[in-house]
Amino acid sequence: MRPTRIGLLAIALAIVTLGCSGAQADDDVVRVYSGRHYDLETAFGQFADETGISVEFLYGSDAELRERIKAEGEDTLADVYMTVDAGNLALAADEGIFQPLESATLDTAVPEELRDPDGLWYGLSMRARTIVYDSDDVDRSELSTYEALAGPGWKGRLCLRRSTNVYTQSLVASLIANHGPDRALEIVRGWADNARILNNDVAILENIAADACDAGITNHYYLARELQDDTEFPVELFWANQDTQGVHVNVSGAGVTAEADDPELGAQLIEWLATDGQEAFVAGNHEYPVKPDVAPDAVVAGFGDFRTDPLTAAEFGGLNAEAVELMAEAGYQ
């Protein structure tokens, strides 16, 4: 049975009751608000077992948790804010939610392009957004880049995800950074002309498998999940832009909140997740570790090596608002 060192912060009253009960001293508890929902219990449980520090956490949407932290101000319960997507992390940084960390451990474990330059947040796992396709209908020689999918040869053959999704927004932000807004607008207009727009990456994969689309763009781990369940799942992965800028890679990450009661414990948890806890953190979702000497799981390793876009997460994360405006101008829904 799991020790009682992990708690779910369903409401603020739960924290107060826990503290008053004497079950845990406040100094032994780190509290996390998380917009990342992928099997965190395992990693937090392992951290608690190894350090004796309890973890209490609250799941929610990224926007809801940011607003909650701002509304709570100096009374916030959150020592750590964790979320997916560099755009969400950059927005939280802009809104003053984080305090800077000075951590040689994190600076060594997390490559420079996967963290905030001022130490406000650190990437803890990587998710590659790339091309997926039906090998019965698409010859690999037809595939090359994200940009090429905007060409007339793909009209009616693509499935892509909605403009409201942060992963789509960050990919478009990377196009703006790499090509400038005018060329990015041309590309996104081409996508809008060619594609059926679907609600999520799973729907994209399922439509390709059902021959409703020939190709699409998804995060790699959605296909890894399908292959974990069915090794014959009829969709393959293609690493985009290997002869140009490389594959777009996003992050999930975390930072210590500006009004944290226990910033040292928050930093200790983030350091552990970036080092000893890397395997536990990424294992439940087939993500890539950020620490270079930690290997990905077997399914993900089977996708092979690839070259990544050197654009930093902070650079494209800071272009999120411009990406949203550009997609609206392009008519991409």
Side-chain angles (χ1 to χ4, degrees), residues 172 174-177 179-189 326 330:
V172 172
S174 76
L175 295 177
I176 295 171
H179 301 300
D182 292 342
R183 174 60 180 140
L185 181 62
E186 291 179 358
I187 296 165
V188 176
R189 278 178 172 154
L326 186 145

Side-chain angles (χ1 to χ4, degrees), residues 216-261:
I217 299 173
T218 69
N219 284 358
H220 76 278
Y221 53 82
Y222 289 101
L223 180 56
R225 291 178 191 170
E226 297 289 352
L227 293 172
Q228 175 88 14
D229 296 336
D230 176 9
T231 57
E232 301 300 320
F233 187 73
V235 177
E236 297 193 21
L237 180 145
F238 179 87
W239 291 123
N241 295 68
Q242 293 304 279
D243 294 328
T244 57
Q245 72 265 24
V247 171
H248 170 67
V249 172
N250 207 328
V251 297
S252 61
V256 172
T257 60
E259 302 292 347
D261 285 339

Side-chain angles (χ1 to χ4, degrees), residues 313-328:
E315 286 176 302
F316 68 77
L319 291 170
N320 180 271
E322 190 172 343
V324 171
E325 292 177 2
L326 186 145
M327 283 189 282

Side-chain angles (χ1 to χ4, degrees), residues 77-210:
L77 301 168
D79 299 307
V80 171
Y81 173 59
M82 178 179 291
T83 188
V84 297
D85 183 67
N88 283 325
L89 290 162
L91 185 57
D94 288 344
E95 292 177 347
I97 284 176
F98 296 127
Q99 61 176 283
L101 296 180
E102 293 185 6
S103 169
T105 298
L106 286 170
D107 290 348
T108 299
V110 181
E112 190 171 4
E113 66 271 19
L114 303 177
R115 50 185 159 92
D116 179 76
D118 297 321
L120 293 171
W121 54 263
Y122 288 80
L124 296 172
S125 64
M126 295 186 292
R127 50 266 306 279
R129 193 155 188 83
T130 194
I131 297 170
V132 289
Y133 68 103
D134 180 347
S135 60
D136 289 336
D137 296 321
V138 178
D139 189 284
R140 285 180 70 88
S141 64
E142 292 185 79
L143 302 171
S144 57
T145 66
Y146 306 111
E147 294 85 343
L149 296 179
W154 288 99
K155 191 169 185 62
R157 302 175 65 193
L158 284 181
C159 282
L160 298 175
R161 190 159 175 172
R162 290 194 180 281
S163 62
T164 51
N165 174 253
V166 291
Y167 307 142
T168 302
Q169 293 166 6
S170 284
L171 177 59
V172 172
S174 76
L175 295 177
I176 295 171
N178 283 319
H179 301 300
D182 292 342
R183 174 60 180 140
L185 181 62
E186 291 179 358
I187 296 165
V188 176
R189 278 178 172 154
W191 289 354
D193 287 342
N194 290 342
R196 295 177 56 203
I197 305 299
L198 302 178
N199 286 330
N200 56 63
D201 284 13
V202 173
I204 293 172
L205 292 169
E206 290 176 344
N207 273 269
I208 294 172

